[in-house]
Every structure is written in C-alpha cells, then in structure tokens.
Amino acid sequence: MASGDLFSIGTSGLLAFQRSLNTISHNIANVNTEGYSRQSVQLATKPPQANGYGFSGNGVETTTIRRSYDAFVESSLRSSTSATAEFEAFHALASQLDNVLASSDVGISASLQRFFDSVQDVADTPSSSSARQVMFSEGQQLASQFNELASWIESVRGQVNNELQSGVDQINQYSQAIADLNQSIVIEQGRAGQPANDLLDQRDTLIKKMSELVSVTTLQQDDGSVNVLVGTGQVLVRGNTATSLTVIQEAGDPKQLGIAVQGNAGVLVPVTNQVSGGRIGGVINFRDQMLDQASNSLGLTAIGIGNFVNEQHRRGMDLDGVLGLDYFSVAQPQVLAVAGDASNVSVTFDDVSQLSNADYKLQFDAGSWTLSNKLTGQSITMTGTGTAADPFIAEGVSIEITAAPANGDTYLLRPTRTGAMDIQMVLANSRQIAAAAPVRSAAASANTGTGVITAGTVTDIDNAVFQSTAGQLTPPVLVRFTTGTSYDIYDNTNPASPALLEAGIAYDPATGGELFPTPGGLDHGYRMHLSGAPAVGDEFSTEYNTGGIGDNRNALLLAGLATDKLMYGGSASITDSYNKLVADVGTSTRQAEINSLAQQRILDQTMATRESISGVNLDEEAANLVRYQQAYQAAAQVIATAETLFDTLLNAVRR
C-alpha cells in the first residue's frame, strides 16, 4: 500500500511539473507576441488521507493556469493609449496646417506685404504705368494665393474625412472580432470551467487596438464576455453581438462627415458628439477646434481686405477720370439648413469690422429665435426683429427671416468660411486703379486773406454729388466769406451766377472748420478743412478732379489699410488678422506637441508597469525551466523508487 501511495504521489508531481514546463515553454515561445500575458501553473496540495496515526499526504494537483493580469493596469493602458493616439493625430494634422500657414512661399503674409508695397509704389508715382501694372499683378497674385491656400485647407478636410472613414471601418472590424471572441470565451470557459487565457489575451489586444482609434470602456459580464462602450457611452459590443458604426454627411454640410449607428427600423442615429479619444477623437477635435477656425480666419482676412479695399477704391478716381470700381469680389455669408429651408433665412454683412471667425447656430424654438456660437455653445445677443426693415444684427452680420418658421428650424451660419475660396480680382486693367481722389479744391487767385482749404477726402462715394453725373460734381461748390468769421455756400454749376445753398455759416479763424456737413444739414460726401484767416470776399471752390492723373490721395489711403485697425472690432489691421491666425495655429500646434510628448511618457510608464506584471522575462523563465526540470526529474525518481520498493516486496513474498 505504501509503495502504491508513493507511486501516486510521484505521478502527481510528474504531471504537475510537466504542465509547469509546458506553460514555461509557452511563455518563452510567446515572448514577442503582442498582448500576451505571462502564464503560470497554480499548484495545490491534494486533500490528505486520514489514518489512525494522522493525515498522510496524497501529492500535488494543478488547480488552474493563471495569466498575470491586472485589470486596473489594463484599463489605464487603454486610457493612455487612447489619449496618446488622440494627441498624436491632432498634432500631426496641426503641424501640417502650421507649416503651410507660416510658410513664406504658401502663406499669405508675403503676398499681403507685396500687395501693399505695390500700392505704396503707386502712391509714390500715381501716373506710372509700370507701378500700376505691378499693383494690378500683385492683386491678382494675392487673390490667387488666398484661393490656393483655401483649396489646400479643403484638401486637409478631405484627409480628415478619409481618416474618419478608415477609422470607422477598423472599429467595425475590431467590434465583430471582439464579439466573436466573446462567444468563443463563453463556450470554452463553460466547457472547461477554467479561464481561456490565450483567448482573453487576444480579446484584450483587440480592445487595446480599438482604444487607439477611440476611447474605450469595458464592462465585465458574469459569463466571461465583456461589453465594449466607446466615447461617452455608445455600446459597440454586447456579448456576441456587434453594432456597426457608419460614416454620414453632417446635417446641412455635404463636405463634413460624421459618425452614426443604426438604430431601430434602420434609422441612422448621429453619435459624432459621443465619440471621443483615440485617433478619431483627435481628428474630430482638430477639425472642429483648429481646421474650421483656421478656414474661417483665413476667410475673414480675405473678406476684410476685399471689403475695405473695395470701399476705399470706390472713393477714388482712375486714369480715365472714372470713379473707382470694386477691386475684389467678396464672398457672402453661408447659410446651411440643418432643419428647415435654407432659402427662408438671408444673411448679409452688416459691419465687417465686427466680424469674428466663429460659426453660429440659429434656431427657432418656442416661438422665438436664438443664436449661439457653434463651437462653444455661448448665446449671442441679437438686436432687431428679423424682418427686412429691421433685421437681426449680431457680430457683424444681418439676418433676415424671409418665411414663417416652424419650431425646430435650425440653421448653420458661416459668415467667413468661403471668404478665401471666393475672393477674385475683378478690375479689368491697371488703368482702372483709382489712385486719385475724385474731388479737389482751389483758392481764388484774388484772395487777400491767409485762409487755406485742404484738397479733400471722400467719405460717401454714393452721395448724389458724385453719382448724379459721371465725371462731375453735382453741384460744384463755391465758398464766399462775407466777414472774417462767416461765409456762404453756393451751387457753382454756373460760375457766372452761383446759386445760394446756405448763408451765414459761422467760422472761427483760431480753430478753422469742416466745410461739410454744414449747420443746415448739407453733406456732399466729402470733407474739406478750412483754416487760417480769410478776408472778406475771399473765395474757395470745390470741383471734380478732372485730369488729376498725378493725384495720389486715394492711393495713400489704400496703402494705409495695411496698418489701419479695421478688423476684430477695431483692434487689428488686415495684416494683423492673418498674423493672428498664424500665431493661434502655431500656439495650438505647440500645445498639441507638448500634450503628445507628455502623454507618450505616461503611456511608456503604463506599458512598463504592464510589462512588469504581465510581460515574459526570459531570465526568469529560464530559471523556472531549470527549477521545474529538476523537480520533474525528482518526481520521476520518486516513481522509480516506488517501483524498486514494489519489486522488493514481490521478491520477498516469492520466497
């Protein structure tokens, strides 16, 4: 009996150490397998046998093969992986944008500088055909540079859309593979009553790979399966069932893609706002927080230069004595219908100086309209009632509601998005450059006082004085001093018999005064300043600047637009607005780089922690291999001893 017990004990040891050696070999073979967790055989003493003299041992048994696994560390690894992939994706795209916007070859800064330099050259030599041609060419080049940069930004948007499509396809593949593994794990663990370690590792590896694409949360189920949720709670895997994501066009915007899941009755439910983290989260954040803002800011700069150059250019006169035309074509605000008819809302610019780079959501609900910043959700105050006579006014735009709304009507307003794409040079030739001012003044040669009148500056080119008859002032004006401190204003259309317009206008020789507007309300759309001490009978006249090809007053004002604080509520020049865009993108890119590097360090540390727990150490496995080999040999020796004892017993009985 004793020899039989000894044989059984030896056999149990032999089997246990053989399984341990097999497991060690499995560890060594998978040392480079991604996601593999080191396994170890768990041994326990067999239940002892009670005897009159006490309990005698029955050897060893294998209870389970356990993988070295820490759920908290794995969860931290997934979170770190997701955050690292998010910042890396954001930084990679942001770096592209930063490099191009700041480039002297592709960016707008150099083109803006060359354009305004050419305007200054025309101001220096207004009659020079070569200077005018350079200004004409630089205007074309500037518009072309805006167009090319805007097109490139749209190509980045296409890259973002491709990233979303690719990421969604990979997520769907991982979801189905995880669901299939869930089913296999439930079956195998139910059959054996033991953990399916290799399958569990494969599932964890797939979940980790999914976390590179999107933030992942797992919920362990009693049957061994896991439910997988992404972003802020969208369930992708429940047991052995996977839910597929799909890419859709965002409501109202055919160029922007979003993510949806298939709901009841096949209805697609948008979940873009619920998806976060990972490469997809980084791409979406880049698009919403940087790309859209950069596109809008570039458009704002283009709209600013187009609007203010046009405004000033129309106040001038070209080489043929014709009033200035628009220099550039300027885009109009974009209205996209999320719910409702886009034609029911009309948006125009009210004051370009008050524009920002924001997009807005206009919504009708509970009988009233509200406007909010699309990115931040901040409510925007509107004045007016939304009618044609009294439109809504907010942040530089005018909004007219042209049809009766329904509750839920929602519109996306993009005042500046297409500004850089749509700007074009519209002048036909360099002779149309309006370098001169269309009005001039003169002092009568017979004047005896010290009075002086300035050449004049146009303030309202749409005034009837300029628009009634091409190439003329309607009327030209005569100023006649009746005393040293007062004068009369006449319509000087007929110099032989001027017609009185306003009499007895007070004048202070110490301070001088503006010719228009007059105390009686006359305003001819230009300003001229009177100064000095005119004598009684002194006369000054204003007329159209016929033949003023050497005049540079309007060119000087055009050149001044480079530094005039006309943008962002009067806080920035046109040049500043683009520099602000470059600075904002550069700052965000640098911050993304810092975040990416910091998160990579966290990921490295988490991976090191995971490796210390679950990784295979070849030195340790080699030591275990020797140890269990010796144990195996010792167990074999126990069996051999049991056999010898049994043979001895048999030989004794035979005698």
Side-chain angles (χ1 to χ4, degrees), residues 26-36 611 615-616 618:
H26 187 55
N27 288 340
I28 294 172
N30 286 280
V31 64
N32 292 318
T33 300
E34 181 183 5
Y36 179 78
E611 282 300 306
V616 176
L618 289 179

Side-chain angles (χ1 to χ4, degrees), residues 533-550:
V536 174
D538 282 358
E539 293 181 346
F540 302 90
S541 61
T542 69
E543 60 185 3
Y544 197 80
N545 193 17
T546 304
I549 61 173

